Amino acid sequence: MTQQTGLEALSTESRRFDPPTELAAAANVKAEAYERAAQDRLGFWAEQAGRLQWETPWDEVLDWQPPFAKWFVGGRLNVAVNCVDRHVDAGNGDRIALHWVGEPEDDTRDLTYTELKRQVCMTANALESLGVSAGDRVCIYLPMVPEAVISMLACARIGAAHTVVFGGFSSQALVDRITAAEAKVVITADGGYRRGAPSALKPAVDEALERCPSVTNVLVVKRTRQDVDWVEGRDLWWSDAVDSQPEEHEAQAFDAEQPLFLLYTSGSTGKPKGILHTSGGYLTQAAWTHWAVFDLKPETDVYWCTADVGWVTGHSYLTYGPLANGVTQVMYEGTPDAGGRDRWWSIIAKYGVTILYTAPTAIRTFMKWGEDLPAKHDMSSLRVLGSVGEPINPEAWMWYRRVIGGDRCPIVDTWWQTETGAIMVSPLPGVTSTKPGSAMGPLPGIAVDVVDGEGVSVGETGGGFLTLSEPWPSMLRGIWGDDERYKDTYWSRFEGQYFAGDGAKWDEDHVLWLLGRVDDVMNISGHRISTTEVESALVSHPKVAEAAVVGAADPTTGQAIVAFVTVKGDVTDDESGAEGFVTELRNHVAKEIGAIAKPRQIVLSPELPKTRSGKIMRRLLVDIAERRELGDVTTLADPTVVTQIDETMGKLASKS
Ligand code: WTA
């Protein structure tokens, strides 16, 4: 990576990579798609919906009662049938759907579409036998095993909505989500593998369920064969409940607006929001974007999305998009360094992966590990590379292109959100000339704008807030049980426009650059965590008086959590005592939210820097956390507070 920094990075904004002619000629989507969609946006989306199998066609493409949308009104379909059965019916049952790769070496499973169908049907039967029916909610708390995908599809098949909770979240986070969703059944595992060792999952469920009366049954996948506690009558092994079920399941078609899933995500205030997605429009856009953005050739491609099913990327681009398109994909259970820091590259070589979709934080980690590791493997099968989750810095983009893509694979930097359901902004391979670090522009059928603080468009060039100015098929249908919050959060900042919460600018060529969140949402390794959520976790500790949390720039994870905490009573002067307390606080946050929310640093301070009117000066805390020269502090009530905090931070930073 040595030559990829400095001057090269500086020149990237004006630098472009044109698609090679052969690619342009063979690409799925041609430049005309933009024109076509601009002339008739709804007609364009209706054509894309036509790629799916509908039992009953829709009467109306869009019913828009701002900010509430219904897409493909009157249409009926079954999402699971679209993702599985129709590929079997089309004669592709022998095609591999999942090459599953477990973390322990040689622990692999291949599932064809026929086998996937069998498993989904049996699981659907099992859920029905537990009393789950259309309209119910099922919570899925699983590691990256095929049963995660199978469970999601089984819910979809019977019209129940799933809410997947990332396995890294704590039992407290599970309680919040299960309670809010009133889930009937939880699907979990004894444990999963994490960096070579089995780690437990079921204890978190057991603990959570003491406070979740809505749950009647727990299905437990046997993955690690750890000992587990068992509640008779409530808990069932997956193998007992599923394997004995009939292999056929007659799927019913549901309304296009049937809830498909809830996915909880952090916002700038309060508890995580249950983002609601429904069926027809969501699947249309997930499938179309997956096909177009990755230039997908389902007969020949081997696609690999490295996201966990617990995040929206694992929903739209591991489960629904790829399976709706009938492609073969890799699903990997473990961490990038399990079995060696070149594990990913050996997987790509083994399965002949052609499309890789991952996050900038992973790329930056691999840059640190060195380019000799990917160089050991034959990755000539790769042809398209994707990035998602946070802005990709030009250095990482160039490294991805050169070292992983052999300077021949187009990179698609895809901007979207849990709320948007599917990719909104991205180049198209074969069509768009790309600039390193830029997501380029909206996809066909998508209308974005960049507006100033008053909601006025900045025009062709200039910076401001990213908004979406027209409804789109996979848009969230609301926040579960809270229409007011839905309106307030997304539709009230700017009249008639969806406020994404991201800053953006058009450059002199009218190319779009995403600039990160403009609210209190941090982006840690591509995961959304809000500052207020971590602050609430910290102040729930009996010894904490006040806490301020900021996201500080981090060379690998994009941002890192830094917390400034004042303590009730005496803060011990004893070095190890304070250190011990900091460890206790970090663990407390992990218990309240999950290990992903553990602050990188916690600075104990007798006071927090406040203005004379009592407002915490967050900007200043960011400067302190990022070790920048501090500007004007004269507006502070007590400027000496800052000097003290800055010194403590300096000591912590030099230690780490
Ligand atoms: C950020 C993940 C810049 C952004 C799919 C957004 C990005 C938030 C990009 C959504 C990108 C995602 N460039 N920023 N290509 N992709 N983001 O809901 O701040 O987990 O608002 O969805 O991630 O995160 P979420």
Side-chain angles (χ1 to χ4, degrees):
M1 69 182 250
T2 42
Q3 71 270 43
Q4 292 303 311
T5 49
L7 284 179
E8 185 154 15
L10 288 178
S11 61
T12 47
E13 195 164 317
S14 53
R15 181 166 190 178
R16 280 200 186 237
F17 290 93
D18 294 328
T21 338
E22 328 77 78
L23 178 62
N28 281 341
V29 181
K30 309 285 178 236
E32 296 89 74
Y34 290 95
E35 198 48 35
R36 159 88 190 98
Q39 275 161 10
D40 179 8
R41 195 170 52 87
L42 298 185
F44 169 82
W45 283 121
E47 278 159 30
Q48 308 321 325
R51 305 160 58 85
L52 303 178
Q53 180 178 310
W54 296 79
E55 193 216 52
T56 312
W58 56 91
D59 310 313
E60 195 188 354
V61 177
L62 171 66
D63 172 7
W64 181 223
Q65 312 286 338
F68 297 97
K70 288 190 183 132
W71 282 83
F72 308 113
V73 184
R76 294 180 76 80
L77 80 174
N78 185 290
V79 169
V81 165
N82 270 280
C83 291
V84 188
D85 305 39
R86 74 176 165 134
H87 307 310
V88 177
D89 297 344
N92 295 320
D94 292 340
R95 186 181 293 166
I96 302 286
L98 290 179
H99 286 299
W100 178 77
V101 182
E103 194 186 273
E105 305 245 16
D106 301 325
D107 192 356
T108 59
R109 262 167 83 187
D110 281 349
L111 276 85
T112 61
Y113 274 94
T114 300
E115 177 59 14
L116 184 62
K117 180 180 167 195
R118 200 175 72 92
Q119 298 273 345
V120 170
C121 287
M122 292 195 299
T123 310
N125 285 323
L127 287 174
E128 283 181 340
S129 74
L130 295 177
V132 180
S133 57
D136 288 340
R137 271 85 49 208
V138 172
C139 170
I140 300 175
Y141 185 64
L142 280 172
M144 283 283 281
V145 290
E147 285 79 3
V149 172
I150 294 166
S151 302
M152 290 162 87
L153 292 169
C155 290
R157 191 171 190 97
I158 63 174
H162 52 72
T163 180
V164 183
V165 179
F166 174 58
F169 279 121
S170 67
S171 69
Q172 180 56 47
L174 264 176
V175 171
D176 295 343
R177 288 156 175 77
I178 292 173
T179 311
E182 296 172 279
K184 224 175 190 175
V185 166
V186 177
I187 306 181
T188 188
D190 47 359
Y193 286 94
R194 229 38 214 161
R195 299 209 159 78
S199 75
L201 265 187
K202 186 159 185 292
V205 175
D206 290 334
E207 196 185 322
L209 292 195
E210 287 170 17
R211 288 177 285 153
C212 298
S214 64
V215 175
T216 51
N217 287 104
V218 181
L219 264 183
V220 189
V221 174
K222 209 175 273 175
R223 170 69 190 119
T224 55
R225 300 181 181 276
Q226 284 161 287
D227 284 340
V228 289
D229 288 341
W230 206 250
V231 176
E232 283 307 329
R234 184 195 73 183
D235 299 350
L236 297 156
W237 287 112
W238 175 283
S239 46
D240 294 337
V242 173
D243 293 355
S244 55
Q245 294 290 335
E247 297 183 3
E248 301 288 327
H249 175 273
E250 178 127 15
Q252 196 191 320
F254 295 99
D255 191 272
E257 288 297 334
Q258 176 80 6
L260 181 62
F261 65 84
L262 300 179
L263 188 56
Y264 283 81
T265 189
S266 294
S268 46
T269 53
K271 292 253 181 210
K273 302 172 288 209
I275 303 299
L276 170 65
H277 283 288
T278 59
S279 301
Y282 169 80
L283 196 64
T284 295
Q285 196 175 329
W288 185 76
T289 51
H290 181 254
W291 176 84
V293 170
F294 298 105
D295 186 37
L296 191 79
K297 313 279 196 265
E299 304 76 30
T300 46
D301 273 320
V302 179
Y303 164 85
W304 182 17
C305 166
T306 65
D308 192 282
V309 286
W311 308 108
V312 75
T313 307
H315 284 59
S316 304
Y317 298 103
L318 192 155
T319 305
Y320 293 110
L323 294 175
N325 288 325
V327 72
T328 294
Q329 64 176 326
V330 167
M331 176 179 188
Y332 171 55
E333 177 184 38
T335 50
D337 54 354
R341 287 180 164 181
D342 58 346
R343 185 71 186 274
W344 279 23
W345 320 129
S346 72
I347 292 173
I348 289 176
K350 176 172 175 192
Y351 291 100
V353 171
T354 57
I355 303 168
L356 178 67
Y357 192 28
T358 191
T361 186
I363 299 163
R364 290 190 297 263
T365 303
F366 295 129
M367 287 169 77
K368 273 201 303 207
W369 290 349
E371 53 188 79
D372 49 318
L373 292 173
K376 284 201 310 206
H377 300 272
D378 176 7
M379 298 202 286
S380 57
S381 55
L382 284 173
R383 60 180 203 90
V384 178
L385 303 176
S387 173
V388 62
E390 55 172 315
I392 178 165
N393 49 311
E395 292 89 331
W397 197 103
M398 290 299 293
W399 192 88
Y400 197 23
R401 179 181 157 89
R402 182 174 60 84
V403 179
I404 306 306
D407 262 332
R408 63 172 196 282
C409 307
I411 294 183
V412 287
D413 173 18
T414 62
W415 177 90
W416 58 294
Q417 312 178 295
T418 305
E419 292 86 342
T420 69
I423 300 173
M424 305 293 281
V425 176
S426 170
L428 287 175
V431 177
T432 321
S433 302
T434 50
K435 290 187 177 190
S438 164
M440 303 308 294
L443 288 175
I446 299 300
V448 310
D449 206 350
V450 176
V451 302
D452 66 16
E454 308 303 311
V456 178
S457 173
V458 300
E460 293 282 298
T461 57
F465 303 100
L466 184 74
T467 63
L468 301 165
S469 42
E470 297 287 353
W472 61 102
S474 64
M475 66 190 280
L476 74 165
R477 298 304 195 260
I479 294 175
W480 187 249
D482 202 342
D483 284 350
E484 281 312 307
R485 194 172 174 199
Y486 167 65
K487 288 188 215 161
D488 285 353
T489 313
Y490 305 107
W491 299 94
S492 64
R493 175 92 185 248
F494 304 117
E495 177 76 34
Q497 302 185 63
Y498 170 91
F499 171 51
D502 282 39
K505 68 163 191 195
W506 299 111
D507 71 12
E508 66 285 0
D509 299 320
H510 193 57
V511 157
L512 191 65
W513 296 75
L514 276 312
L515 304 175
R517 301 289 303 194
V518 293
D519 54 11
D520 295 330
V521 175
M522 299 177 285
N523 192 323
I524 318 296
S525 298
H527 302 151
R528 271 166 76 164
I529 300 169
S530 79
T531 54
T532 41
E533 218 178 329
V534 182
E535 284 166 3
S536 315
L538 285 165
V539 296
S540 74
H541 188 285
K543 284 195 210 146
V544 172
E546 211 176 11
V549 167
V550 297
D554 182 281
T556 308
T557 57
Q559 282 189 314
I561 304 175
V562 179
F564 299 86
V565 168
T566 64
V567 182
K568 285 180 197 156
D570 280 344
V571 189
T572 168
D573 285 336
D574 177 329
E575 259 301 280
S576 70
E579 261 179 41
F581 181 59
V582 164
T583 309
E584 184 182 324
L585 276 186
R586 295 182 77 237
N587 292 338
H588 178 73
V589 174
K591 188 161 178 358
E592 289 295 306
I593 307 172
I596 50 164
K598 270 190 185 179
R600 181 184 71 188
Q601 282 142 335
I602 295 183
V603 181
L604 299 180
S605 151
E607 262 182 86
L608 297 179
K610 290 184 183 162
T611 59
R612 290 189 196 104
S613 61
K615 230 176 141 250
I616 295 176
M617 299 222 12
R618 289 171 177 283
R619 270 273 113 229
L620 201 62
L621 290 174
V622 175
D623 286 343
I624 292 173
E626 295 181 349
R627 311 299 308 127
R628 256 198 302 270
E629 217 32 70
L630 301 181
D632 184 15
V633 294
T634 50
T635 51
L636 287 176
D638 178 4
T640 59
V641 171
V642 170
T643 329
Q644 270 181 24
I645 298 182
D646 198 37
E647 271 170 22
T648 321
M649 185 74 215
K651 280 188 210 146
L652 283 180
S654 63
K655 264 194 224 162
S656 53

